[in-house]
Amino acid sequence: MKKRFTEEQIIGFLREVEAGLPVKELCRQHGFSEASYYLWRSKFGGMSVSDAKRLKELEAENNRLKKLLAESMLENEVTREALRKKVVSAPSRRDLVRHMTHGGLSERRALRVIGMSASAYRYQPAPDRNHALREQIVALAQRHRRYGSGMIVNHKRVERLYAQEKLQVRRRKRKKVPVAQRQPLGRPSAANQVWSMDFVFDRTAEGRVIKSLTVVDDATHEAVAIVPERAIGGNLLTRILDRVALLRGLPKAIRTDNGKEFCGRAMLTWAHRRGVKLFLIEPGKPNQNAYIESFNGRFRDECLNEHWFTSLSHAKVLIEAWRREYNEEQPKKSLGGLTPANYARQLIANAAKLTPGSKAECY
């Protein structure tokens, strides 16, 4: 809004009053109110024309600095909000520039912040000539999810369109297992030469998991131990084996799959310190551990599927009772109609009759 009187005129009015002209007369002559006079006196009283010009310049400079500060704060705020995520592609950068201009920044300032030229911002992309090919790739990928593109055209174009449609699938990585010498599945000639171990899972009545460690002697088919727990890690597994060793001794080798409990540092350290070899089967080939797999099927069919466990302690009692029955009362055709416990006693008796020079070598 343009002012009616300049600062020089206002200072002249104040000088007239100082010379003796009444305020009312001054206001009547120049056509302004007494309130305006007293407002000017509070602002310009005692000032000369040069002081008023200097005050005007300072106010203009102050307004300019305030505007620059407001623009800088707005730029920082819009930039901070826009650059939360890194943008690389040109369309994304164009959208970001439009967002910043809508936020209050000028187009030139937004382009400078993003680092984009005006010609690149105003570029109009050419029509998509790969529309039919793109649809064909998408249809093929939806039909064969893990088959890939598989089209005999320019492979670089196909790969680019495949990536633009985000059709890549994560490659399934094979589980890394320790490299070990594979051992054939044979029948040992005596007890405590080779054990087989595995885990069998079940649940109690409230839905909590029971993880049972099953240990079988490959020679006698005895259930050396069945230990149900809520969870069994590597350290607990070694403590269980130490408890079993107090009653039966340790085997010369243990055959397992590639589970993390059997391949972990705790198990490897335990086996090295006690001189026990670890035989690991190949991944995805449970038939290489056939003794324990056969036992697990029988254990699930005759015990786990026949009982409803109300608690872990209830499961321990029933599972231990079934283990004893399996070892001492159930004959097996593969053992000549003997129970595993009787067959183990028979092996001990036969070994006692052999001379030291004719004893079969250990597995």
Side-chain angles (χ1 to χ4, degrees), residues 48-306:
S48 62
V49 175
S50 60
D51 293 337
K53 290 182 178 180
R54 179 60 180 167
L55 178 61
K56 184 177 180 181
E57 293 175 357
L58 291 176
E59 289 180 349
E61 181 68 16
N62 189 28
N63 292 333
R64 188 181 68 84
L65 294 177
K66 285 183 178 180
K67 184 178 180 181
L68 291 177
L69 178 60
E71 291 178 353
S72 177
M73 293 177 63
L74 177 62
E75 178 181 347
N76 292 337
E77 184 65 26
V78 174
T79 304
R80 189 185 302 111
E81 181 181 355
L83 297 182
R84 288 178 180 176
K85 186 177 180 181
K86 184 178 179 180
V87 289
V88 179
S89 62
S92 301
R93 295 160 73 88
R94 293 190 191 99
D95 294 339
L96 188 57
V97 171
R98 296 189 189 98
H99 173 74
M100 296 176 70
T101 53
H102 291 327
L105 262 67
S106 63
E107 181 181 297
R108 181 179 298 178
R109 189 180 297 272
L111 290 173
R112 190 187 313 121
V113 172
I114 299 301
M116 191 176 190
S117 64
S119 59
Y121 173 65
R122 296 182 178 86
Y123 171 77
Q124 297 294 332
D128 187 9
R129 297 176 297 175
N130 301 312
H131 181 70
L133 178 61
R134 189 190 303 270
E135 290 184 349
Q136 190 176 359
I137 291 175
V138 172
L140 183 61
Q142 291 177 350
R143 182 179 177 183
H144 306 284
R145 293 184 180 275
R146 306 200 66 87
Y147 180 75
S149 54
M151 305 185 68
I152 307 177
V153 292
N154 185 288
H155 69 94
K156 293 182 289 185
R157 187 198 306 180
V158 173
E159 291 175 0
R160 175 171 55 83
L161 297 177
Y162 205 80
Q164 289 178 357
E165 295 298 325
K166 299 180 180 180
L167 298 176
Q168 303 97 323
V169 293
R170 181 173 297 180
R171 180 172 296 177
R172 294 168 181 167
K173 296 182 180 179
R174 295 189 61 183
K175 182 179 179 181
K176 294 183 180 179
V177 297
V179 178
Q181 184 179 2
R182 304 302 177 189
Q183 299 294 330
L185 181 64
R187 181 77 173 273
S189 58
N192 270 21
Q193 288 190 353
V194 181
W195 288 357
S196 296
M197 293 195 310
D198 200 2
F199 290 110
V200 179
F201 292 86
D202 199 16
R203 291 183 181 272
T204 52
E206 70 271 20
R208 297 182 62 187
V209 174
I210 297 178
K211 185 177 183 180
S212 299
L213 172 68
T214 56
V215 185
V216 172
D217 191 307
D218 289 4
T220 64
H221 292 192
E222 289 178 285
V224 177
I226 305 177
V227 184
E229 295 288 348
R230 292 298 184 187
I232 300 178
N235 294 324
L236 179 56
L237 175 61
T238 57
R239 292 197 296 269
I240 293 173
L241 293 177
D242 286 334
R243 291 201 303 264
V244 175
L246 296 176
L247 302 176
R248 188 184 178 92
L250 287 174
K252 296 181 180 179
I254 297 177
R255 180 181 287 106
T256 65
D257 58 16
N258 297 281
K260 61 181 181 180
E261 299 86 356
F262 302 134
C263 301
R265 183 179 300 176
M267 186 64 184
L268 295 177
T269 304
W270 177 89
H272 176 73
R273 290 177 178 176
R274 287 158 179 76
V276 178
K277 296 180 181 179
L278 296 179
F279 296 161
L280 301 179
I281 67 173
E282 297 181 36
K285 295 186 177 181
N287 58 322
Q288 295 182 0
N289 202 6
Y291 293 126
I292 193 66
E293 294 294 338
S294 175
F295 174 79
N296 289 343
R298 193 164 184 175
F299 172 50
R300 181 172 296 280
D301 183 58
E302 298 179 5
C303 181
L304 298 182
N305 292 346
E306 293 297 320

Side-chain angles (χ1 to χ4, degrees), residues 4-5 23 26-28 30-40:
R4 290 178 57 193
F5 304 102
V23 175
L26 178 68
C27 294
R28 187 185 61 78
H30 299 286
F32 55 83
S33 63
E34 294 185 17
S36 299
Y37 166 78
Y38 290 112
L39 178 62
W40 292 338

